[in-house]
Amino acid sequence: MKAIIQNEFGNADVLSYADIEIPKIGENEVLIKAKYTSVNYADIKNRIGSKGKGNFPLILGLDVSGIVEETSIHSSFSKGDRVIAFPKDGSYAEYVVANEQLVFKIPDSLSFEKAATIPTVSILSYILIHEIGQVKKTDTIVIHSAAGGVGSMLVQLAKLAGVEKIIGTVGNPIKEEYVMNLGADMVCTYDSFAVEVLKQTNNQGADVIFDSVAGDVTGRSLDCLALYGTLVQFGNSSGKVGNFNTSDVHSSCRNVKGFSLGTTRKHNPARLAPVAAKVTELFSANKLTLPIARVFDLKDAAEAHKLIESRNYEGKVLIKI
């Protein structure tokens, strides 16, 4: 089969289009013929080696949409099932293997392209909004990196939940119109958001702030987080660690919550199935949609990575297998 592999950490040029063996399934696993995979910032971090050691040759990719090709005995899946999944050894390949707990059926009415936008960013966003952030209609919330994949979905889910005031932040003001069209009430830059949030809330601050950027943005988020407010930390796309003092939270009754979809896939995969079903239903009913910035062919995965690193895109970047 064709796959994108890398034999060392480095820039996008380490990604190589190659022929490798089709993987074998084990107990409680399925083989999936891939149709599309999404490109996530975690792929960039894995490629350059900032997320730990690499087991080379390495195949990147977190998720996939496709068709079940082979199942183990007594499987709840059948050959021909249309699914989305989190493969165990990367998704930049024509065939992938996934544990059944991380495979979810999709209806015939949902295209593979659209379905490929669901697994990582949409399931993550639903959990962040409803389980971790526990947003209420009366809340003022801030969504950092609002033009990215997760940000785009957080804005829509918040709007769908009837949240009173949604403030998005972007690195480039040119993305403001895109974020407003998704349902945000206001869009700010990373430099100005703290002042604007306080202005919009009569100096009370935001009730929930979703931060995937970290670095200096984390500190500025605490500058405009309300009493009893929640800072949801789920990434560090800036490449820098965010810092806060214990005194920043205890006397103000504020709290910081962390969440990782990768950790949950590994340690609590059963938590994802009901969320996947809810999100898939919302996509099928056209209540949610994730704008697709661009679709690349598998052999052009390096170009997809370069686009992600440029941050010059809105929505989701996909690879067609």
Side-chain angles (χ1 to χ4, degrees):
M1 69 173 185
K2 295 292 187 183
I4 297 293
I5 65 170
Q6 66 178 92
N7 292 298
E8 61 180 322
F9 294 129
N11 62 28
D13 295 333
V14 302
L15 300 179
S16 176
Y17 188 55
D19 285 299
I20 63 172
E21 294 293 319
I22 295 176
K24 306 293 184 183
I25 64 170
E27 188 177 357
N28 299 319
E29 293 180 341
V30 298
L31 179 69
I32 300 168
K33 181 174 175 57
K35 293 292 187 180
Y36 289 86
T37 181
S38 70
V39 184
N40 297 280
Y41 200 80
D43 299 347
I44 308 299
K45 296 174 75 173
N46 281 323
R47 191 201 71 219
I48 64 178
S50 65
K51 286 181 74 86
K53 297 179 180 179
N55 184 19
F56 299 115
L58 178 65
I59 298 178
L60 299 174
L62 300 179
D63 54 33
V64 72
S65 65
I67 301 172
V68 172
E69 181 74 15
E70 183 185 349
T71 68
S72 56
I73 299 173
H74 308 307
S75 174
S76 59
F77 293 92
S78 303
K79 182 176 180 178
D81 282 346
R82 304 173 81 253
V83 296
I84 52 175
F86 296 106
K88 68 175 188 177
D89 292 315
S91 59
Y92 292 13
E94 291 182 322
Y95 290 90
V96 300
V97 170
N99 184 289
E100 286 190 9
Q101 282 193 298
L102 295 172
V103 182
F104 317 105
K105 293 180 182 178
I106 59 172
D108 292 342
S109 59
L110 192 60
S111 71
F112 287 116
E113 182 179 271
K114 195 172 182 179
T117 67
I118 294 177
T120 298
V121 297
S122 302
I123 291 175
L124 169 59
S125 298
Y126 193 95
I127 292 173
L128 291 174
I129 285 282
H130 295 288
E131 298 179 21
I132 310 302
Q134 298 179 341
V135 298
K136 304 183 294 294
K137 290 183 178 181
T138 54
D139 284 343
T140 292
I141 71 171
V142 175
I143 298 168
H144 290 311
S145 192
V150 178
S152 296
M153 192 50 54
L154 286 171
V155 171
Q156 289 184 77
L157 284 167
K159 191 72 173 179
L160 200 59
V163 175
E164 195 167 278
K165 187 176 286 291
I166 304 166
I167 300 173
T169 68
V170 293
N172 189 333
I174 199 171
K175 299 179 180 181
E176 178 179 350
E177 183 180 359
Y178 168 82
V179 177
M180 293 292 290
N181 288 337
L182 290 174
D185 299 297
M186 170 180 277
V187 179
C188 312
T189 64
Y190 297 135
D191 294 328
S192 67
F193 79 87
V195 172
E196 288 298 331
V197 168
L198 291 172
K199 186 185 299 183
Q200 291 294 315
T201 58
N202 293 318
N203 287 319
Q204 297 302 301
D207 300 290
V208 186
I209 298 178
F210 296 94
D211 179 17
S212 62
V213 182
D216 295 338
V217 169
T218 298
R220 289 190 215 117
S221 295
L222 286 165
D223 289 341
C224 63
L225 185 64
L227 296 177
Y228 302 96
T230 300
L231 173 63
V232 179
Q233 178 62 44
F234 65 101
N236 64 327
S237 63
S238 66
K240 300 175 182 177
V241 175
N243 296 297
F244 64 90
N245 299 317
T246 54
S247 56
D248 291 336
V249 294
H250 76 83
S251 60
S252 57
C253 303
R254 299 181 296 181
N255 64 89
V256 179
K257 289 185 177 181
F259 185 78
S260 164
L261 188 61
T263 300
T264 305
R265 289 197 306 268
K266 181 178 180 180
H267 295 287
N268 192 9
R271 182 176 184 175
L272 303 180
V275 179
K278 290 175 182 176
V279 172
T280 299
E281 183 180 339
L282 290 171
F283 269 81
S284 298
N286 292 316
K287 292 183 178 179
L288 285 179
T289 185
L290 186 51
I292 296 171
R294 191 168 167 188
V295 180
F296 291 85
D297 290 334
L298 180 61
K299 62 182 175 59
D300 298 321
E303 296 304 312
H305 274 227
K306 290 174 183 177
L307 177 59
I308 294 288
E309 289 177 291
S310 76
R311 302 187 187 275
N312 189 27
Y313 68 96
E314 299 165 343
K316 201 77 191 115
V317 176
L318 301 180
I319 292 176
K320 184 177 182 179
I321 310 296

